[in-house]
Amino acid sequence: MSKKKEDFKHVNYDWDDAYAENLSEVESLVYRSNILGADQRITNTGGGNTSAKLIETDPLTGEQVEVLWVKGSGGDLRTAKLENFSSLYQGKLTALDATYQARDDKGYKSPGEDAMIGMYKHCNFCLNPRASSIDTPLHSMIAEKHVDHLHPNAVIAIASCKDQEALTEKVWGGKMAYVPWMRPGWEAAIVCEQAYAEKPDSIGILLGQHGHTNWESESKSCYETSLWVIETAARYIEAHDKGEQTFGGAKVRSLSYEERHSLLTKFLPVARGIISNKVKFIATVQCDEVALRFVNSVDAPRLAKLGTSCPDHFLRTKIQPLYVDFNPETDDFDALVEKLNAGIEQYRIEYAQYYEACKRDDSPAMRDPSPTVILIPGVGIIGWGKNKSESRVTTEFYNCAIEVMRGAEAISEYTALPQQEAFDIEYWALEEAKLQRMPKEAPLARDVVVVIGAGDGIGKETAFRVAKEGAHVVCADLRYEAAQKTAEELTAIYGQGIGVAGTGISGCGPAIAQAVNITERASVQAMFEQVIMAYGGIDKVIITAGVFLAPGQSGMSDDEQFDMSFAVNVKGGYIVATEANKIWQAQKLQGAMVLTTSVNAAVSKKGSLAYDTSKAAANHLVRELAVELAPLVNVNGLAPATVVKGSTMFPRERVIASLSKYNVEHSSNDSDEELRDKLAMFYAQRTLTKQPITPADQAEAAYLMVSGQLSKTTGQIISVDGGLHEAFLR
């Protein structure tokens, strides 16, 4: 069905003929997938799959064979590339049905049906290693060349109505077949094949509680048919929209931005601590108008209790969210925390009851019974995950669930999956196997690490080191541009992750940049507030920021140098520690802190009075903070020496002055790097190991102190100086 861009207002029409005409058939499939996935109203992150049955040359026989190209397991339509698609001999897939029918253990939800997943790899074309989707037989059994299987909110809304079958006929004018809910797999594909055969003039199938599948003979027309199915559903819902009476109308008012920000920066660390009773979680906050309309509404408690519908949704959001009965007009912060505590306790009890009532003999053990979505009237939605990407996806999926409920309630009555059906998806052996195949989490994967001084030198190396271990890294520096550069470099390496949820900074990835002046408490407070809004709390804080002011430097008086040295090197650490401790105490989760001091703190010498005494004070600050913050937080010090490379404390002028002081041969024509190398090698000869000290050496020590490997070490100063015997602790 040929359509024009102006025919659509509820989905984006992005097909570009000029671009598409130069693509091969399989490239056209990838292109179609990407532009479908780019519109979140069409399908959610990681959801849905597309396929094309194409003629390829068999590499063994040279014969022309039909090959099914279908988006593989775990792929995302928006970001998929060719390597994310499985390719299977269509003839072999068709023949597999005879294998299935011959099994004694076949049937819906049977071991035989699940065993067919392992048979797909025997059909792989050209040894394609991409794991095939559970929906592969659906794409194979539909005879048309191009097939799209999608999870649009508008379509799922109709598929979640109590009268979904009658609405299928009415909404799409008889052009869509209907199949009631079935767990994806071989049996569901057979039923869809029968529905396709029984209604040959149909262009698609509505899948109860799930989504839809449609088909066409050409890639572009398949894309347009997908848009038409979604647009038609969205227009029908729009015609019945209840306006201000959506979800029964508003029950409470939304807090202002300032009120919400103030509440959340206090509440999120507390909530993170309560919910992280088994493992730690990272938060994503959604507080746009759509989210607030739902959580503020009369019907939110009823609908939240019903749970979500689409399997893609509740695999992330659990069977239902936790609704906190909070009224911002009458309840204070303490009341919110009390209600959260009571709500989570009851949620865990009910989740255990759900597990016990629905479990089967071979069910996997019960997973963490804590909620992954929390709804707070007047405030918004908080989604939780093992990392930032996971929490964004969780929140995104509940956003989708809200839109599904809105549409269903506008035209009929929303119904969720029966609990047993939901359980059989959540604890499906295939889902459990997928979880078991996931790589082991990196040591800091669930941690938020704040690195102050991350713009360059030791701080930048430290940011890279903890990121390598999976940490969410806050790159903080007095110079925002330098911090931003570090964060961008980390994002380029590790990616933004998936999921499109999050309001404001909460929509961030695993690395963010923050400007901070550690000598000003208000600046430190503002920085930590942004970190809380981004991730929900903190775990480790590493301070590498510091100043070295030699006599006569920058035209400052000795008194001014003394004041500045102590302000940055001592008071700054004190301010950061006391502000971070407020968050640690609210979370009640183990934390770690590292202050960067210097071996100069233990060595008396001429020419750096202000620096050396401030670092000596910093050493004792470490010990005092270790006492003050125990037992929840370990505090240790990192004492570098002569880290010349990449350090802002060694500008060209200081390097030349030092080389001249020690009579090290050099030239004014030498580059900055050459001068630093000469000074570093000179310093190295004064050490026991005879090796120059690098920022990476310091970063390794900083990581060690927050890794948990030294969890019983606190109040200590670890020198990384190559072995300066003058600095040995006495």
Side-chain angles (χ1 to χ4, degrees):
M1 52 176 67
S2 180
K3 295 289 181 181
K4 299 177 181 178
K5 194 166 188 172
E6 53 267 27
D7 293 333
F8 303 98
K9 67 174 184 175
H10 295 283
V11 289
N12 296 330
Y13 184 99
D14 288 331
W15 190 276
D16 183 343
D17 284 326
Y19 177 80
E21 68 180 3
N22 297 314
L23 302 176
S24 67
E25 285 194 300
V26 72
E27 288 171 340
S28 179
L29 169 63
V30 176
Y31 174 58
R32 180 172 99 233
S33 306
N34 294 162
I35 58 177
L36 285 169
D39 188 343
Q40 292 300 306
R41 296 168 296 182
I42 291 175
T43 200
N44 45 260
T45 296
N49 27 59
T50 51
S51 69
K53 301 176 184 73
L54 307 176
I55 301 302
E56 306 281 2
T57 301
D58 191 310
L60 292 178
T61 67
E63 296 176 352
Q64 299 295 287
V65 293
E66 189 175 29
V67 173
L68 174 70
W69 288 88
V70 58
K71 192 210 77 174
S73 177
D76 175 57
L77 288 178
R78 177 174 57 88
T79 58
K81 298 178 174 59
L82 183 58
E83 57 264 28
N84 300 116
F85 284 76
S86 302
S87 55
L88 308 98
Y89 288 95
Q90 174 64 15
K92 290 184 178 182
L93 280 173
T94 302
L96 274 185
D97 192 52
T99 303
Y100 175 68
Q101 298 303 336
R103 297 183 68 105
D104 293 332
D105 58 353
K106 66 178 181 291
Y108 183 51
K109 296 185 182 179
S110 68
E113 183 183 25
D114 286 356
M116 294 306 291
I117 300 294
M119 301 297 291
Y120 300 163
K121 59 187 175 184
H122 296 290
C123 305
N124 286 357
F125 174 74
C126 279
L127 303 178
N128 187 341
R130 173 58 58 182
S132 297
S133 164
I134 187 69
D135 289 311
T136 295
L138 170 65
H139 289 267
S140 173
M141 292 183 192
I142 299 296
E144 288 288 351
K145 182 175 180 178
H146 295 273
V147 178
D148 291 341
H149 167 59
L150 304 169
H151 302 148
N153 295 335
V155 174
I156 301 174
I158 294 169
S160 299
C161 290
K162 66 176 182 179
D163 48 350
Q164 55 193 248
E165 183 173 7
L167 282 167
T168 302
E169 187 73 15
K170 183 176 182 180
V171 172
W172 289 285
K175 293 182 179 180
M176 294 276 284
Y178 170 79
V179 169
W181 160 257
M182 290 183 72
R183 192 174 74 178
W186 203 271
E187 290 287 341
I190 291 173
V191 172
C192 288
E193 182 184 34
Q194 292 168 347
Y196 170 78
E198 291 168 4
K199 199 176 176 67
D201 58 341
S202 60
I203 51 87
I205 302 171
L206 181 79
L207 307 169
Q209 313 293 148
H210 188 165
H212 81 279
T213 299
N214 57 261
W215 49 80
E216 287 288 351
S217 59
E218 299 293 335
S219 188
K220 178 183 178 181
S221 58
C222 190
Y223 171 75
E224 291 178 337
T225 297
S226 294
L227 297 193
W228 178 83
V229 171
I230 303 163
E231 179 73 19
T232 302
R235 290 192 180 204
Y236 187 85
I237 292 168
E238 181 186 46
H240 296 80
D241 184 73
K242 294 183 177 179
E244 292 185 359
Q245 289 307 304
T246 297
F247 300 129
K251 179 182 177 182
V252 301
R253 71 167 183 87
S254 294
L255 292 173
S256 68
Y257 170 83
E258 292 76 15
E259 292 170 325
R260 183 171 64 243
H261 181 82
S262 176
L263 179 68
L264 282 171
T265 51
K266 285 179 61 181
F267 176 74
L268 282 168
V270 175
R272 185 176 186 234
I274 294 170
I275 205 167
S276 300
N277 67 324
K278 292 184 180 295
V279 290
K280 283 186 287 195
F281 287 95
I282 303 295
T284 291
V285 178
Q286 190 78 30
C287 46
D288 59 1
E289 288 304 313
V290 173
L292 288 167
R293 178 177 61 179
F294 178 70
V295 299
N296 293 350
S297 71
V298 171
D299 291 341
R302 170 180 66 85
L303 293 170
K305 195 70 177 174
L306 287 175
T308 52
S309 172
C310 180
D312 266 26
H313 295 176
F314 62 71
L315 281 173
R316 308 275 188 163
T317 65
K318 280 196 160 71
I319 183 65
Q320 65 186 44
L322 169 64
Y323 175 87
V324 181
D325 187 18
F326 173 71
N327 187 333
E329 295 182 2
T330 58
D331 295 334
D332 60 11
F333 175 78
D334 291 338
L336 174 59
V337 172
E338 182 180 344
K339 289 183 176 183
L340 176 72
N341 266 309
I344 288 182
E345 182 179 353
Q346 184 62 29
Y347 188 100
R348 288 168 176 160
I349 291 170
E350 291 180 4
Y351 187 87
Q353 292 171 343
Y354 152 75
Y355 177 85
E356 290 298 323
C358 298
K359 72 176 181 180
R360 301 182 185 274
D361 293 340
D362 59 349
S363 293
M366 186 179 78
R367 303 186 188 112
D368 189 341
S370 299
T372 57
V373 176
I374 297 175
L375 311 178
I376 306 177
V379 179
I381 302 170
I382 307 170
W384 302 91
K386 64 182 180 181
N387 53 43
K388 186 60 186 180
S389 182
E390 189 82 13
S391 74
R392 284 205 318 268
V393 173
T394 297
T395 310
E396 173 195 330
F397 280 21
Y398 203 75
N399 292 340
C400 292
I402 289 172
E403 281 300 285
V404 167
M405 291 184 285
R406 180 187 70 82
E409 290 284 300
I411 60 178
S412 179
E413 181 181 325
Y414 172 74
T415 59
L417 272 179
Q419 281 201 345
Q420 187 65 59
E421 291 296 324
F423 181 91
D424 290 344
I425 287 283
E426 186 177 357
Y427 284 90
W428 193 359
L430 296 179
E431 286 294 336
E432 179 66 14
K434 187 185 296 184
L435 291 175
Q436 295 302 323
R437 286 196 304 270
M438 295 184 73
K440 183 181 178 181
E441 288 185 30
L444 300 183
R446 294 174 180 263
D447 284 340
V448 179
V449 181
V450 181
V451 181
I452 299 177
D456 52 29
I458 296 172
K460 184 167 187 173
E461 286 286 349
T462 300
F464 273 75
R465 185 65 185 88
V466 296
K468 183 180 178 181
E469 303 300 333
H472 302 79
V473 187
V474 179
C475 304
D477 202 284
L478 182 63
R479 300 152 301 139
Y480 177 77
E481 294 77 12
Q484 180 68 15
K485 188 173 186 293
T486 301
E488 288 172 352
E489 289 175 9
L490 290 175
T491 302
I493 295 170
Y494 299 104
Q496 180 76 3
I498 59 175
V500 294
T503 300
I505 197 172
S506 201
C508 68
I512 61 171
Q514 287 291 297
V516 65
N517 182 344
I518 61 173
T519 69
E520 297 178 1
R521 188 171 292 274
S523 176
V524 174
Q525 289 173 338
M527 183 266 293
F528 277 129
E529 286 179 1
Q530 289 297 97
V531 176
I532 289 169
M533 293 303 295
Y535 300 117
I538 61 170
D539 297 288
K540 330 286 189 186
V541 176
I542 302 171
I543 304 176
T544 67
V547 293
F548 176 91
L549 300 173
Q553 184 175 328
S554 304
M556 299 174 70
S557 70
D558 290 347
D559 287 353
E560 289 172 326
Q561 288 181 10
F562 219 84
D563 290 343
M564 178 62 75
S565 296
F566 272 78
V568 176
N569 298 338
V570 186
K571 187 178 180 182
Y574 161 73
I575 290 173
V576 171
T578 50
E579 288 302 320
N581 193 43
K582 295 175 185 177
I583 303 170
W584 280 316
Q585 294 303 320
Q587 290 178 153
K588 295 181 173 59
L589 300 173
Q590 284 296 134
M593 184 170 193
V594 176
L595 277 70
T596 303
T597 67
S598 172
V599 297
N600 284 30
V603 179
S604 303
K605 66 180 190 306
K606 188 176 179 64
S608 51
L609 178 63
Y611 180 76
D612 296 355
T613 52
S614 69
K615 288 299 185 178
N619 271 2
H620 198 61
L621 177 64
V622 168
R623 295 185 278 268
E624 293 284 352
L625 289 175
V627 174
E628 290 286 336
L629 275 57
L632 196 61
V633 183
N634 290 43
V635 184
N636 290 292
L638 170 65
T642 60
V643 182
V644 179
K645 183 178 180 180
S647 173
T648 55
M649 291 189 185
F650 282 88
R652 183 181 180 90
E653 294 75 14
R654 182 186 175 193
V655 174
I656 291 173
S658 296
L659 290 170
S660 300
K661 174 182 175 182
Y662 299 120
N663 297 315
V664 177
E665 185 177 345
H666 64 282
S667 167
S668 59
N669 294 324
D670 289 341
S671 68
D672 290 353
E673 200 63 31
E674 289 171 331
L675 291 170
R676 289 194 179 101
D677 286 344
K678 289 178 180 180
L679 184 59
M681 288 306 299
F682 170 78
Y683 284 143
Q685 299 314 305
R686 301 191 307 181
T687 71
L688 298 176
T689 63
K690 308 300 182 186
Q691 299 180 71
I693 311 302
T694 68
D697 297 326
Q698 309 300 329
E700 194 65 36
Y703 163 65
L704 178 64
M705 284 186 273
V706 301
S707 67
Q709 298 175 77
L710 298 181
S711 61
K712 296 179 181 178
T713 299
T714 191
Q716 300 302 307
I717 311 297
I718 295 181
S719 297
V720 183
D721 57 10
L724 286 169
H725 65 84
E726 302 95 327
F728 288 174
L729 294 183
R730 300 166 176 77

